Structures are given as structure tokens and as C-alpha cells.
Amino acid sequence: MSSAADSAYDVVVIGAGLSGMYQLHRLRELGLRVRVFEAGADVGGTWYWNRYPGARFDSESWTYGYSFSDELLREWEWSEHFAAQPETLRYCNFVADTLDLRRDIEFGCRIRSAAYDEARSEWEIEIEDGRRARARWLITAIGPLSAPTMPSIPGVDTFRGEAYHTGTWPHRPVSFAGKRVGVIGTGATGVQTITEIAKTVGHLTVFQRTPNWCAPLHNGPIDAATQTRIKATYREIFAICRESFGCFIHQADPRHALEVSPEVREAFYEKLYREPGFGIWMGNFRDILINQEANATITEFMRRKIRERVRDPRVAETLTPTNHGFGTRRVPLESGYYEVFNQPNVRLVDLRETPIERITPAGVKTTAAEHALDMVIYATGFDAITGAFDRIEFRGRDGRRLRDKWVDGPRTYLGLQIEGFPNLFTLVGPHNAATFCNIPRCIEQNVEWVTALIRHMREKGHTRVEATAEAEPGWTGHVLDIGRPVPFTQVSSWLTGINSNLAGKQRRTFVVYAGGAPKYRERCDEVAAGGYVGFTFQ
Ligand code: NA7
């Protein structure tokens, strides 16, 4: 493909993951000249980078694919209810091939800066290799979890063995056989990695700082009859997702946890624990995530489950969260995670008791011991939601830097636009329902809404759109108001903007919209129906 940088486009999209790919497709339909710049060597975003062992969906595969195209739905078949990363990456490639997307995507291009040129009402984008491109509209499709962070532990660079971050996993096979492997981090990624490599590892040491409440995934193959049923009912499936809080197939039970007897409650929790996917989180009693007393009942149930599954009571205790209730952090789904700790070749190190002092050339040194290792795996997460924005120098009107504007937390309108940054749209950006969602469902909403706004501008002959100085604080205040009473906003995790490894990310902020996808969509639709209330056009 010839280099298309140093050129002018109608729209530049940053990122060729699920949101960038769909945005490209929709904008092409408007007849616009679109260029997508992607840092990776191919499409897929999250599914391109996160190749770590055990990486797979926690969403039901058949709820995750794009819903907009009957052709895509007809031609693609998921092999498992919760597909593994290689299959999902194949899906991304299938979409790129079917829609012929690659001819407008330039790979290996990491964006360094983007500056708004007021005189021309255009964005000027600079790629790290120094090339530039200009476009009327700039759309970020950079993902909420795309800026991996290493731990701020001294000595990381001194380790002599193999070292990997899960978010930048190598493309070649990695063997664990006979090796002494250490994993740092027990979030959703660490839980998947640990469970998978425990099957072949020589010896595994898990360095855990904060345990999470994990629930069984119950994955399985999709048989032919189920495949036929799924394909025949896609419309119903997507309709259910559309009306649920996070666009998952699981709908909250209308009952309150405390209005039923303890026996009924227990039986319901048991049933959910035996069922696949996020049902125990999203399809539970309607109040378990908003009422502390209700939350305590499911939390106690989950505590008992850990004790039942882990043989050594001390290890079970260490694996049991003490600082947050079930569901107030992202719930990792697992396939035998707790049983890993019954293996004789697996050791759990509690970093709350014995913190890591440093990484040494030979392994990991805690305050209690030095653990000799052949490999260290960092499952230490991401500079979430705003991190990918911070890594690009965005300059809006009057040279204002986005980083400065967001220094005390993001300020946005609908999580899609920012006052002072005309013609910039932030798919799956902060304050957007998509950050807490069965993400392609919300991506489709985001993309379709932005596409309609651009179509509107073209029809009216506008060259510039920007959130007003009133609309932005209105929305930002609404995000805060709706988030404040929700328990998960009072717990530290990437969902509340915390990253212990980064200066400036130690204070909780409201980075996600906690009102749920249906309410969010309704608001976006109202804004559009009212002629794009809260925006100024020129
Ligand atoms: P997470 O959920 O942010 O988890 C990161 C893990 O790494 C978590 O257990 C952290 O402990 C641990 N961590 C981070 N830094 C350190 C240091 N310095 N020392 C010890 N332990 C550390 O990231 P994931 O990749 O698992 O998941 C992110 C999302 O991606 C996930 O929710 C899915 O939606 C997809 P902590 O909890 O901070 O004590």
C-alpha cells in the first residue's frame, strides 16, 4: 500500500480495532475520504495485542459480534460460547476482508500529536515517524484498555529471564514447560493467564496484591443445533442486549435480594453460579450492586465458594477479597482458577503481607524472600480509559492541551465530544456508556451516532461542530451525580481511574458513565432529535 500520510482527508480515524473498523465502514457509505491510522501491524485492536495464554471473551461470543450486517451474521460461526482470542482475531480479519477495509487503513502508524487548525477548521495529525495528515474530522477509536502499564517496581529492567506484559504478548509461541514462572497481577487478565499456564508450567508463583471475586465462566462448544438457533434469533438476542444495563444477554432479576427468604436467595445464587457468563453479576437481584446489605448476601455466598474450592484454608483466605463487595470491581470469569491453588507446584504470595521490594536479575524479591524465576509475566493492567488519550498530544482551539484540560478528571459532552476541541469525536471515550459495556454493542451506538452527526453537518453545510461551554459541565455533572451513589465508584480500580503505578492516577475519578447503556442511548438520541442540542455549528 502506498503511504497516504502527508495527505488531506475528510476524516482521520485513529485505531483499527472494533470501533475504528466500523467507523471506517460507515463513513465510506457517506462517500467521505477516510484514513485509519493503526499502531499495530493488522486490525483487531485489543484482540491484536492481547495474545496472552488464556485470553478469551467474558461476553457470550454470539452477543459480541457486529449486529449491523446480515451478511456478517450469516457467514460467521463462533465455535465456542466464549471464544478464545485467536478466534476473535480471526473474526476481526474476516470483517476486514468482507468489508474490504484494509485499503483505507495504514498500519504501523502511532499518532504522536493532533492539533486543531482554527483557520482551516481542520485537524493536523502527526505520526511518530514524522509524517502528517490533515482532516476535517478526527475520530479517536483508541480503546479504553490499550495503554499497558508496567509496575513501578525497582529493577524491572534488570531481570535476566524472559519477561512479558500480557498486553504486548509476543506473536511467537511461549513455552512454560519446566520453567519457574511468576505472575504479577490478579485482575481479569491475570486470572485467565494463571489458569492457562498452570496446565503446563514447571512451577508457578502468583504475586497477588488485591484478590478479586471471580465467578465461573462455564464455557463450552456451540453444537450444530445451538448454532442454528443462534443464527435464527440474532435479532432477538441483540434486542435483549440493547435493553440491558451493560448490553449483555443477562437481564437483572426484578426482585430485591432481601425480599426473598434466605433459602430462595441461596438457591438463586447457586443457580447463577452454575450458569455461564456474567449472569451472576448482571442477571442477579436488581439491587446487589446498589444496596450494601443486598451486596453483602452475594459477597458472603462467593466467600463460601472460594472456601469450598480451595483446599488450604489459609490460601482460601488470601484469595478472598476483604476491601470490596462482589461486583464492585470488574468480575473476572474463570475456568478452574481457584483449583490452580490446589496444585503442588503453585504458590500464592500475598503482597499485602510481604510487598515486592524489587525485581532482581534472578527473580522477584519480596520483604520475606527472593523468588528465583525463569520468567516474569506482568498482568498489571492498563492506564485505562484516559491513558491512550494522554499518550497523544491533543491541542484544540487556542493551543489548549487535552491533558491539561483533563488533569482533574475528564470533562466531556456525552463522552463523545469536548468543548475546545472542535470536530473531534471520542468513540468509547471517558464518560461514555461504552466503557462499561459488552463493547461492540455500545460501539455500534457510538459510531452510528457520530456518523449521523457528520451526515447532518454535510447536509447543512457546516464545517465545524463543538460542545458548548454549558453542555459540557452539564453532562460531566450528570456523570458525577449518577455515579456517586453507585458502590463501584467508591472502590479503587481501573473503572474509577486508579492506576497505582502512575503518578496522577491515585485519586478516584468518574471516568465511566454509570447510568447504563439504555439511558445513555436515550440521552444521545434526544440530543440528536433536538437538532444536536448542546452543540454549536459553523
Ligand atoms: P487490572 O484489572 O487493572 O489488574 C491489574 C492487576 O495487577 C491487579 O491485580 C493489580 O493489583 C496488579 N498490579 C498492578 N500493579 C502492581 C504492582 N506494582 N505490584 C503488584 N501488583 C500490581 O488489569 P487487567 O489487565 O487484569 O484487566 C483490565 C481489563 O481488561 C479487564 O477488566 C477486562 O475488562 C479487560 P491491584 O488490584 O491494583 O492491587
Side-chain angles (χ1 to χ4, degrees):
M1 180 193 303
S2 67
S3 165
D6 297 312
S7 311
Y9 302 98
D10 295 315
V11 191
V12 158
V13 177
I14 311 176
L18 286 158
S19 47
M21 285 165 60
Y22 184 41
Q23 187 65 79
L24 167 60
H25 175 67
R26 279 290 177 227
L27 292 173
R28 269 184 184 171
E29 289 179 339
L30 296 188
L32 294 168
R33 288 166 304 145
V34 189
R35 196 69 173 173
V36 180
F37 293 112
E38 163 58 50
D42 209 339
V43 297
T46 286
W47 302 107
Y48 171 86
W49 296 103
N50 286 272
R51 297 162 183 256
Y52 62 85
R56 71 169 61 246
F57 283 150
D58 285 343
S59 306
E60 284 73 5
S61 312
W62 34 272
T63 69
Y64 188 94
Y66 293 114
S67 73
F68 69 88
S69 157
D70 288 338
E71 182 190 2
L72 294 177
L73 290 170
R74 200 173 46 241
E75 300 298 321
W76 180 261
E77 292 197 346
W78 296 103
S79 70
E80 291 180 284
H81 285 280
F82 300 89
Q85 174 271 337
E87 182 167 345
T88 310
L89 188 57
R90 278 200 301 282
Y91 173 74
C92 297
N93 279 279
F94 155 76
V95 173
D97 292 342
T98 307
L99 304 178
D100 188 21
L101 296 180
R102 284 195 185 78
R103 66 185 155 87
D104 289 321
I105 306 175
E106 197 160 341
F107 295 104
C109 292
R110 199 171 275 283
I111 304 303
R112 178 188 292 152
S113 67
Y116 185 67
D117 177 342
E118 272 198 87
R120 295 169 67 166
S121 286
E122 278 181 2
W123 281 90
E124 186 172 48
I125 294 98
E126 189 190 6
I127 301 167
E128 278 192 347
D129 64 14
R131 289 175 303 149
R132 289 165 188 275
R134 301 181 74 87
R136 167 126 307 148
W137 292 280
L138 175 62
I139 302 181
T140 59
I142 51 186
L145 295 157
S146 57
T149 45
M150 289 291 281
S152 55
I153 303 172
V156 163
D157 295 334
T158 66
F159 182 59
R160 277 200 303 260
E162 296 169 77
Y164 308 106
H165 189 289
T166 49
T168 50
W169 196 262
H171 290 209
R172 59 178 165 76
V174 174
S175 165
F176 309 99
K179 291 179 187 164
R180 298 162 304 172
V181 178
V183 178
I184 301 178
T186 52
T189 300
V191 166
Q192 289 187 333
T193 306
I194 289 161
T195 310
E196 186 60 28
I197 68 176
K199 294 172 185 165
T200 56
V201 75
H203 186 275
L204 176 63
T205 309
V206 175
F207 297 94
Q208 173 196 269
R209 188 165 61 188
T210 311
N212 285 300
W213 297 107
C214 309
L217 176 67
H218 296 302
N219 185 28
I222 298 176
D223 61 38
T226 310
Q227 192 75 257
T228 307
R229 201 174 59 241
I230 289 169
K231 289 202 166 189
T233 54
Y234 263 131
R235 289 298 140 211
E236 288 89 324
I237 290 168
F238 294 130
I240 294 170
C241 292
R242 193 178 147 83
E243 294 316 319
S244 78
F245 184 90
C247 292
F248 290 92
I249 195 72
H250 311 282
Q251 287 171 310
D253 189 281
R255 295 169 297 172
H256 290 91
L258 300 169
E259 81 187 30
V260 301
S261 69
E263 294 73 28
V264 169
R265 202 161 52 230
E266 178 76 9
F268 185 53
Y269 290 159
E270 274 294 350
K271 172 178 167 295
L272 291 173
Y273 200 79
R274 280 195 305 269
E275 287 176 352
F278 276 142
I280 198 156
W281 192 20
M282 308 284 176
N284 212 315
F285 293 119
R286 59 188 283 196
D287 57 343
I288 62 139
L289 300 178
I290 43 180
N291 176 316
Q292 303 279 9
E293 222 185 315
N295 185 267
T297 62
I298 180 68
T299 299
E300 179 51 33
F301 174 86
M302 298 302 284
R303 182 176 293 124
R304 272 188 279 124
K305 285 293 169 197
I306 299 174
R307 286 189 194 138
E308 280 169 23
R309 291 175 59 184
V310 179
R311 266 189 235 120
D312 182 332
R314 274 177 313 139
V315 175
E317 219 41 53
T318 307
L319 287 166
T320 303
T322 52
N323 66 351
H324 66 282
F326 174 79
T328 60
R329 290 176 120 209
R330 205 294 206 178
V331 175
L333 294 185
E334 48 82 28
S335 307
Y337 177 65
Y338 289 114
E339 286 71 17
V340 163
F341 297 92
N342 296 332
Q343 288 182 208
N345 63 341
V346 175
R347 175 162 182 192
L348 180 63
V349 174
D350 185 351
L351 299 181
R352 291 164 299 182
E353 277 185 4
T354 57
I356 297 176
E357 280 184 347
R358 61 182 304 110
I359 309 291
T360 68
V364 173
K365 185 170 182 320
T366 69
T367 51
E370 180 166 2
H371 300 265
L373 299 168
D374 302 307
M375 184 191 298
V376 178
I377 297 175
Y378 298 101
T380 46
F382 301 88
D383 184 359
I385 302 177
T386 53
F389 288 90
D390 290 343
R391 280 161 175 73
I392 297 171
E393 171 93 355
F394 288 99
R395 283 189 182 271
R397 270 194 293 116
D398 311 319
R400 275 203 283 172
R401 291 194 335 162
L402 185 60
R403 230 178 268 149
D404 295 336
K405 173 162 179 155
W406 283 1
V407 72
D408 292 322
R411 284 182 284 149
T412 78
Y413 185 40
L414 302 175
L416 283 168
Q417 226 285 308
I418 305 155
E419 185 265 335
F421 295 79
N423 293 3
L424 170 68
F425 296 109
T426 55
L427 302 175
V428 200
H431 293 177
N432 187 311
T435 48
F436 193 64
C437 186
N438 185 11
I439 212 159
R441 303 280 62 76
C442 287
I443 282 173
E444 288 186 337
Q445 182 275 342
N446 272 206
V447 165
E448 285 158 19
W449 194 90
V450 168
T451 307
L453 176 46
I454 292 177
R455 187 192 302 118
H456 171 85
M457 288 179 72
R458 295 202 358 127
E459 283 165 5
K460 301 275 179 196
H462 298 312
T463 55
R464 186 177 141 154
V465 61
E466 185 183 343
T468 65
E470 295 76 41
E472 184 179 273
W475 176 255
T476 302
H478 170 66
V479 171
L480 267 56
D481 289 343
I482 212 156
R484 266 192 210 100
V486 181
F488 90 73
T489 65
Q490 289 138 42
V491 172
S492 296
S493 79
W494 65 264
L495 286 166
T496 46
I498 296 288
N499 186 313
S500 69
N501 301 302
L502 297 171
K505 299 269 166 134
Q506 321 284 329
R507 199 173 49 81
R508 279 182 222 138
T509 47
F510 290 84
V511 283
V512 306
Y513 175 73
K519 212 178 262 182
Y520 174 79
R521 189 180 59 239
E522 208 174 288
R523 191 67 178 261
C524 289
D525 289 349
E526 277 166 19
V527 167
Y532 295 100
V533 188
F535 288 101
T536 53
F537 293 94
Q538 275 175 22

